[in-house]
Every structure is written in C-alpha cells, then in structure tokens.
Amino acid sequence: MDVLRERHRTIRTQGADLAVFEYGRDPHPDVPTMLFLHGYPDDHRVFHPVLRELAPTHHLVAFDTRNAGRSRPRDGAGFTLAELVDDVFAVLDGIGATGGVRLVGHDWGSIQGWAAVQDERADWRITDYTSISGPDLRHFSRWLRSRFRDPRLVHQGIGQVLRSWYVGAFQLPVLPELSWKYVLTRRYELAARRNVGADPLRGLALYRTNMSRAAKPSRRRRVTLPVHVIVPLKDPFLSPHLVDGLEEWVEDLTVTPVPGGHWWIASRPRAFAELLDPSLRDGA
C-alpha cells in the first residue's frame, strides 16, 4: 500500500477555492494531525518527501495557497496576510479539525504561520508551530532596524539587506514577470525536479501586497504555544541571526540550526521528519 495515499478536496473560502490534500492516517483522536503551509514559488508538493516519512503515524494535511498550484482566487480576492490567515483557519474548519493541530510552515508558509499563531482563533486549535525559513514580518522589521542602530551589529543588517535584494526587485513592473518567464522558471524546475507552471508569476502578488511601503503589518500578539524554529545555516535568503529577539515575545521557544540551504526540508526529509517527531530517531 502507498503510505502517501492522497485524498483531495476543494474548500471554498471567502476569497478562494483551495485545493486541500490529506495523507497518511485517517483523522482520529489518537492520531496527531499536522497542517503544512508551503512557500514561494512552491505548492504543497514541496512537502511530499517529509510527508512520506510521517504518513505511517500521522494524519497530514497540506494545501495550495490561493496563489499556487490547483487553488484559485475568486474575482476581487486579495493576497493580504490577513486573508491568507483566514484561509488557514478555513482549512482547519473544512477538514473538521476539532482537536489541536500541529502547524508547520516553510518560506511564505512560515510567514503565514507566524501570523496564524498570533490570531485569537489559534487558541485551543493549534498546539505548536514549527517555522522554517520565513520570519514574522513585524519581527523582521524590528530586527532589521535594531541592527542599524547598533554599530556592532550593522554588518548583520547589511548582510540581510543584500540577502533580501529580490524583495525590492519583485516590486518592479514587468521585469520580474519576464525574468521568471524566460529564465528563472526553467532553472527552478530543474533544481526542484517538478513543474511549477505559472506559480512564480502568480506568487509575485504576495510580495507586492505585503512587502510594499503601503502594506499594513499584522498585529503582534504574544505567543504562548510552543514554537520550534529550524534555521538552515546555508540559507542564501535569511540570516541565521533573525532568531535573535524572538524570546522577547515567544514564551516557549526552541531554535535548531541545521546544515542546509533554503530547501533543506526537501533535500533532507528524514532529518526534517525526526525534528517534527523525535520518536522516529528510535526507529518507531
């Protein structure tokens, strides 16, 4: 039997028709449920390697965000972080998650996850959160400003600005679309070993909506549930120092550095699975 047996459904939210996929065990009070949020320019398939590791013992849920894969926004729908978080809770409602769900986010999925766990709807619905390669946007902004106020840390701020060059580039008209269409998509597909279609172009809305000067940051709320931040030390886009200061507003924080790059989650699925479920280290 294929342990990654896929069950697909469409969940309709206020702004999108979301393609939702379930794997592994059927829902049951004794079976832990994990919800995975993918990043850009990926879709839910980026998690397939780790889902195969976890499927024998977990109920696993992943969905294509409204800008990606088989999901589609409806006319007039936006891409604000608040709307993306609404989608997360709509999926939890749609799958009938009555108990606590473990949330896992990578890249933009991690950014969404940070906003979700600060939402009042997370209380009693999300039991813990694992973040990989995607900061809370308000924390990122405060962290960056603090680096340029301290002469001893300016080099960290400059380093992160250089790593984030693409964020500014994605605000430009036309050029990002042309770059993805004629150069970057093919390169990414060769590296990821899967077709991404128009997802890179669709996903530009995430940056243009949430990282422009006109964007309104989400409200910060102290996080009391356990948070595990996995830090790939060779991530070309994010400084490992971005975890500094999280302990000021995250009460139960664990930080684990790993020797990998931005897509460590796909290249080292067993190691990733063991961090999500330490019992796997014992061969369970």
Side-chain angles (χ1 to χ4, degrees), residues 96-115:
T98 56
V101 172
R102 303 185 63 195
L103 186 64
V104 182
H106 174 253
D107 188 83
W108 260 99
S110 179
I111 293 173
Q112 294 171 53
W114 278 112

Side-chain angles (χ1 to χ4, degrees), residues 6-281:
E6 181 178 277
R7 291 92 76 190
H8 168 252
R9 70 173 84 183
T10 298
I11 292 179
R12 189 175 181 87
T13 74
Q14 290 187 350
D17 295 317
L18 300 177
V20 181
F21 307 87
E22 296 179 73
Y23 305 89
R25 303 278 298 277
D26 291 327
H28 188 275
D30 296 330
V31 177
T33 295
M34 291 187 184
L35 174 61
F36 290 79
L37 307 177
H38 70 82
Y40 172 86
D42 296 309
D43 59 25
H44 77 283
R45 293 174 296 168
V46 72
F47 290 116
H48 274 182
V50 73
L51 297 177
R52 290 187 181 278
E53 300 287 343
L54 295 167
T57 53
H58 292 74
H59 171 226
L60 306 167
V61 184
F63 70 96
D64 292 337
T65 54
R66 60 172 60 190
N67 59 278
R70 292 157 63 179
S71 292
R72 292 293 183 272
R74 295 201 297 279
D75 291 343
F79 295 89
T80 65
L81 194 53
E83 290 170 301
L84 299 174
V85 170
D86 285 344
D87 286 349
V88 172
F89 288 102
V91 169
L92 290 178
D93 290 338
I95 64 172
T98 56
V101 172
R102 303 185 63 195
L103 186 64
V104 182
H106 174 253
D107 188 83
W108 260 99
S110 179
I111 293 173
Q112 294 171 53
W114 278 112
V117 298
Q118 293 173 75
D119 190 291
E120 287 84 354
R121 290 171 289 181
D123 297 343
W124 309 106
R125 303 197 68 184
I126 299 175
T127 59
D128 63 84
Y129 174 47
T130 299
S131 162
I132 312 99
S133 294
D136 173 81
L137 292 185
R138 189 180 290 272
H139 172 78
F140 179 89
S141 179
R142 294 184 66 179
W143 179 91
L144 195 59
R145 291 197 303 270
S146 73
R147 266 45 196 171
F148 287 104
R149 287 196 297 263
D150 188 337
R152 298 169 301 175
L153 301 176
V154 167
H155 67 284
Q156 292 183 11
I158 294 174
Q160 182 55 57
V161 169
L162 293 174
R163 291 171 186 254
S164 302
W165 64 269
Y166 61 93
V167 175
F170 285 169
Q171 307 300 322
L172 299 173
V174 182
L175 183 59
E177 282 85 350
L178 292 176
S179 298
W180 274 111
K181 184 175 181 180
Y182 293 108
V183 180
L184 298 179
T185 295
R186 179 58 177 164
R187 291 184 179 180
Y188 183 74
E189 288 179 339
L190 289 173
R193 298 181 181 180
R194 62 178 178 275
N195 182 281
V196 297
D199 288 355
L201 301 181
R202 296 167 62 193
L204 290 171
L206 297 174
Y207 292 89
R208 291 170 174 169
T209 300
N210 297 288
M211 292 187 169
S212 69
R213 292 185 177 181
K216 295 181 179 180
S218 59
R219 182 174 64 87
R220 174 183 269 190
R221 181 185 183 218
R222 190 167 186 82
V223 177
T224 58
L225 57 79
V227 174
H228 186 186
V229 180
I230 299 173
V231 183
L233 295 176
K234 298 179 182 179
D235 192 327
F237 307 118
L238 296 168
S239 168
H241 298 289
L242 275 167
V243 297
D244 295 346
L246 284 177
E247 69 282 353
E248 297 174 6
W249 58 283
V250 179
E251 293 184 5
D252 187 350
L253 176 67
T254 301
V255 176
T256 302
V258 294
H262 189 74
W263 281 276
W264 175 86
I265 62 164
S267 62
R268 295 292 304 279
R270 182 67 184 186
F272 183 24
E274 290 176 354
L275 288 178
L276 295 174
D277 182 2
S279 70
L280 293 176
R281 297 171 186 163

